[in-house]
Amino acid sequence: MHTTDYLLDLTERLTRCWDRRDVDGVLQHYSEDVDYSEPGAQVSIRGRAKLKNYLKRYFEEWDTRWTIYEHYRLEGQDGLVVFWDMEVWRPGSNDRLLTKGMDLVMVSGDLICRDTVYFDRAQLKPLLG
């Protein structure tokens, strides 16, 4: 069982890779059989190879900066619930917005095996113009 500090550090390192739009950096934090989902966007991806394709498309369409401001350990498990603010915009645009959300992050070994992202995608509508 990992310490809470370890789980938070792993999640923070992953988040910095998302901020840099670094596909390979993001993928190195996930297990080969990762279960990645965004229920509000009907996104459900199983495996690193499929996640790589999703990330390439996502990073072409969106730029983001994440700030984790609160976290809770899942008792008796290698997992965290993290609450975050996300500044989001389209690459090349000056129109930005701030939204909030949360992730459920589960770890197996030293890698994230499950990442479930919850936020209201309807908030992005002004950026879709």
Side-chain angles (χ1 to χ4, degrees):
M1 186 94 52
H2 292 292
T3 66
T4 301
D5 287 342
Y6 175 86
L7 297 173
L8 182 59
D9 180 65
L10 177 62
T11 305
E12 286 279 7
R13 285 185 283 124
L14 169 67
T15 301
R16 298 297 68 86
C17 292
W18 277 86
D19 286 350
R20 290 190 306 271
R21 297 165 58 194
D22 176 359
V23 172
D24 292 330
V26 169
L27 292 172
Q28 77 179 3
H29 291 86
Y30 287 117
S31 65
E32 194 64 43
D33 63 344
V34 63
D35 178 4
Y36 178 89
S37 62
E38 297 177 26
Q42 290 80 45
V43 171
S44 181
I45 299 167
R46 183 66 156 201
R48 238 192 237 160
K50 290 180 181 175
L51 182 56
K52 183 175 187 171
N53 292 332
Y54 172 78
L55 290 170
K56 286 179 179 179
R57 289 189 316 271
Y58 180 92
F59 292 147
E60 287 174 5
E61 297 290 323
W62 301 104
D63 205 343
T64 54
R65 297 299 176 272
W66 309 75
T67 303
I68 295 172
Y69 63 85
E70 196 171 352
H71 68 279
Y72 297 95
R73 173 129 194 178
L74 298 175
E75 190 172 334
Q77 301 180 56
D78 269 343
L80 290 177
V81 174
V82 295
F83 293 88
W84 42 260
D85 290 330
M86 176 180 67
E87 184 179 18
V88 59
W89 64 96
R90 300 288 222 164
S93 173
N94 292 324
D95 296 331
R96 297 174 181 226
L97 62 85
L98 186 65
T99 186
K100 293 183 176 297
M102 63 173 267
D103 277 45
L104 169 64
V105 178
M106 301 299 296
V107 174
S108 178
D110 291 327
L111 297 172
I112 296 168
C113 62
R114 177 180 173 194
D115 188 359
T116 307
V117 183
Y118 297 96
F119 78 103
D120 182 4
R121 281 209 171 227
Q123 295 177 59
L124 301 180
K125 193 171 185 173
L127 298 178
L128 296 174

